[in-house]
Amino acid sequence: MASQVRGAQLARLLGQWHALPSRRRSPDYAALAGAVRGLLADGRLPLGVRLPAERDLAEALRISRTTVTAAYRELRDSGHLASRRGAGSWTRLPGTHRVAPNGLWIPLDDRDMIDLGVAALAAPPELLPAARTATEDLPRYLGGAGYHPTGIIELREAVAQGYTDRDLPTSPDQIMVTNGTQHALDLVLRLALAPGGGVLVESPSYPNALAALAARRARITTHGLAADATGWDADLMLGSLRQVRPRVAYLIPDFQNPTGHLMGAELRERLVSTAHAVGTDLVIDESFVDLPLDGTTLPPPTASFDRHSRVVSIGGMSKPFWGGLRIGWIRASAPQVQRLAAARVGVDMSSPVLDQLVAVHLLAAAPGIVAARRTQLAVQRDALLGALANRLPEWRVTVPRGGVTLWAELDGPISSALARATEEVGVRLAPGPRFGLDGTLERFLRLPFTLPAADLVEAVGRIAAVRYDLDRTGLPRWREPSVIA
């Protein structure tokens, strides 16, 4: 989003800002102020953006300027807006909030919060022994400068072997180690996508990937995924590639985030063939590839169908191991890896050697660690599904065959309102619009099953109570959001 938002743009983001179904209307100025805070809460309106002039917004919303003036005054009083005479008004942050790991602004005192905004597991018990052993390996690296732009050889060999074990022969020269999967995506986009270039993404998609594309000022075309188990419509997606001919397509074929869909082998092959024909590079995010559940058999890697260096695969250790270990990687042709390394020197030089050594030892123990993760996730997924069926039977959820998230279709376009309300009962949610563009996906909600089963059941109980309250008549006032962005 630009540094200034126009009245028509803000009006589109606000949507039906003045009322929720079956709720007593609050004053229009209070509802408008609350709706703006809601946009800040789910990240659709960032900090430091200059809001439209009062007259401009009043015309776009077809309301009186007096209402907008009162709403801006309330936002200033609550600390969400700063104004300077003759210069305008900017979104800002109250002093009692901080940033959470999911990028949302949250209250400072949130120790009792059940956080369903982050789809990641706690560290496995094997992490600490791996870290201790890594420190014993470190001395042999201390005689050098410590800069390894493509990564230390032991880790590149281990990652390459992982691809080879998936029937995708890979050499260490085809691997570049990064500071997490998001860093890998950023480096690939720096090399493959000029500012303003065209990109095809799924809808919904991973919010931080959308943010990275926005930073490149990409022209984004979306392919909508079905809410049921079918996922991708092959003809529509391949037709979009042929018509739009984007420079890059960013896709998550292995337990897609957030829907959990798994792309079949036939579509992967057709996708690579079409991408080559139209000149599109495929960036394939494999963050969840290690987490099939219920004995699901994985299709061949997308890159196994590549004969023309059109596929760049990215992955990392955040989902199967631990998000605090910032180790990711890129698999590409050896010449592409060298170009990526040259581009990286202007960004961060290399990944920490000690972290890479820890990753080497974790990957050596990966079969046992990942098997335990799969068992844990299956139990937690089933607990979440059972709680939803019991407390929110109107919601529709397709059981994912892997990954760590459910994509729930709600019984109304209430995702953002629900996320704001659940903050008050100690549950943090990531509403559907965070996974799309321009405020869409209000009927959907991502629910990760990475927390203990008891926490998930408790969270669903609180969500269900809030969902009931949203439809009750006679609520005394508009509920203020407690998450601020």
Side-chain angles (χ1 to χ4, degrees):
M1 184 176 290
S3 59
Q4 179 176 1
V5 59
R6 297 190 299 274
Q9 294 173 319
L10 183 55
R12 186 170 66 250
L13 289 174
L14 287 167
Q16 298 298 321
W17 57 271
H18 52 277
L20 287 172
S22 303
R23 295 191 63 176
R24 188 171 67 189
R25 289 279 298 274
S26 56
D28 280 349
Y29 77 88
L32 178 56
V36 171
R37 283 190 289 263
L39 294 177
L40 291 168
D42 66 23
R44 284 183 281 159
L45 190 62
L47 295 173
V49 169
R50 189 168 73 178
L51 295 187
E54 295 171 0
R55 186 185 302 278
D56 184 19
L57 183 57
E59 292 177 354
L61 295 176
R62 298 182 180 179
I63 59 178
S64 72
R65 183 176 176 180
T66 302
T67 299
V68 177
T69 301
Y72 279 17
R73 181 172 59 249
E74 181 163 314
L75 289 167
R76 284 192 293 270
D77 291 344
S78 64
H80 298 86
L81 203 62
S83 300
R84 191 168 67 247
R85 184 179 295 276
S89 300
W90 290 265
T91 54
R92 63 186 294 270
L93 182 70
T96 57
H97 291 70
R98 64 180 176 85
V99 70
N102 59 1
L104 294 177
W105 293 98
I106 61 174
L108 289 173
D109 184 14
D110 68 333
R111 284 173 291 210
D112 296 327
M113 184 73 67
I114 300 176
D115 192 350
L116 296 182
V118 177
L121 293 159
E126 294 85 352
L127 179 60
L128 190 56
R132 290 178 178 142
T133 307
T135 61
E136 298 173 3
D137 296 338
L138 185 61
R140 69 173 182 266
Y141 281 92
L142 298 181
Y147 297 125
H148 303 270
T150 59
I152 62 174
I153 184 61
E154 294 100 319
L155 183 53
R156 289 189 287 123
E157 288 175 343
V159 174
Q161 185 61 49
Y163 280 104
T164 301
D165 291 344
R166 293 169 56 200
D167 295 326
L168 179 59
T170 302
S171 71
D173 290 341
Q174 292 178 266
I175 301 298
M176 178 179 186
V177 178
T178 64
N179 297 321
T181 310
Q182 185 70 16
H183 181 221
L185 175 61
D186 181 76
L187 288 173
V188 171
L189 293 179
R190 286 172 183 267
L191 187 67
L193 186 66
V199 179
L200 176 69
V201 301
E202 298 141 333
S203 179
S205 188
Y206 179 47
N208 291 338
L210 297 177
L213 293 171
R216 299 295 298 171
R217 302 194 300 278
R219 293 180 291 104
I220 299 177
T221 301
T222 60
H223 168 67
L225 298 181
D228 58 23
T230 58
W232 299 266
D233 184 305
D235 291 338
L236 285 177
M237 183 170 70
L238 300 181
S240 295
L241 278 175
R242 296 186 187 100
Q243 294 172 19
V244 179
R245 306 177 74 90
R247 181 67 187 84
V248 170
Y250 167 78
L251 304 170
I252 313 173
D254 299 289
F255 312 119
Q256 200 263 352
N257 185 8
T259 65
H261 293 318
L262 180 64
M263 185 183 291
E266 180 183 359
L267 179 53
R268 295 178 189 226
E269 184 173 13
R270 294 176 63 191
L271 174 65
V272 174
S273 175
T274 303
H276 171 62
V278 302
T280 297
D281 288 337
L282 299 177
V283 181
I284 302 299
D285 189 335
E286 297 183 323
S287 294
F288 300 93
V289 73
D290 294 312
L291 299 174
L293 304 179
D294 306 325
T296 296
T297 300
L298 288 173
T302 306
S304 64
F305 301 105
D306 184 24
R307 302 292 181 270
H308 305 281
S309 298
R310 282 291 180 190
V311 177
V312 176
S313 304
I314 60 176
M317 306 194 67
S318 294
K319 302 308 178 183
F321 296 94
W322 187 46
L325 186 65
R326 303 309 301 150
I327 293 295
W329 50 76
I330 301 168
R331 183 201 181 273
S333 68
Q336 285 175 308
V337 168
Q338 292 304 310
R339 290 196 294 272
L340 286 164
R344 178 182 191 166
V345 170
V347 180
D348 70 342
M349 301 295 289
S350 66
S351 298
V353 171
L354 183 57
D355 288 17
Q356 294 184 69
L357 291 171
V358 174
V360 170
H361 290 287
L362 285 176
L363 288 176
I369 296 174
V370 173
R373 294 299 218 191
R374 293 173 183 169
T375 300
Q376 173 188 359
L377 287 169
V379 170
Q380 292 170 184
R381 179 202 61 186
D382 292 345
L384 179 57
L385 287 167
L388 289 170
N390 182 44
R391 298 300 303 273
L392 292 162
E394 301 85 3
W395 291 11
R396 295 196 297 176
V397 180
T398 299
V399 180
R401 297 157 63 190
V404 301
T405 63
L406 303 180
W407 185 239
E409 184 176 358
L410 313 184
D411 54 333
I414 58 168
S415 183
S416 294
L418 186 65
R420 293 195 296 271
T422 56
E423 283 283 331
E424 299 181 14
V425 296
V427 178
R428 179 170 301 119
L429 299 174
R434 285 186 57 80
F435 301 86
L437 302 174
D438 297 327
T440 58
L441 303 174
E442 276 288 4
R443 290 186 62 90
F444 294 90
L445 184 69
R446 189 188 75 170
L447 295 170
F449 42 90
T450 49
L451 294 179
D455 288 347
L456 295 172
V457 173
E458 174 65 21
V460 171
R462 298 184 193 181
I463 294 169
V466 168
R467 175 65 191 99
Y468 172 71
D469 285 343
L470 286 182
D471 281 343
R472 291 176 62 191
T473 59
L475 286 180
R477 61 183 178 87
W478 179 269
R479 289 175 179 256
E480 300 293 350
S482 58
V483 173
I484 309 298

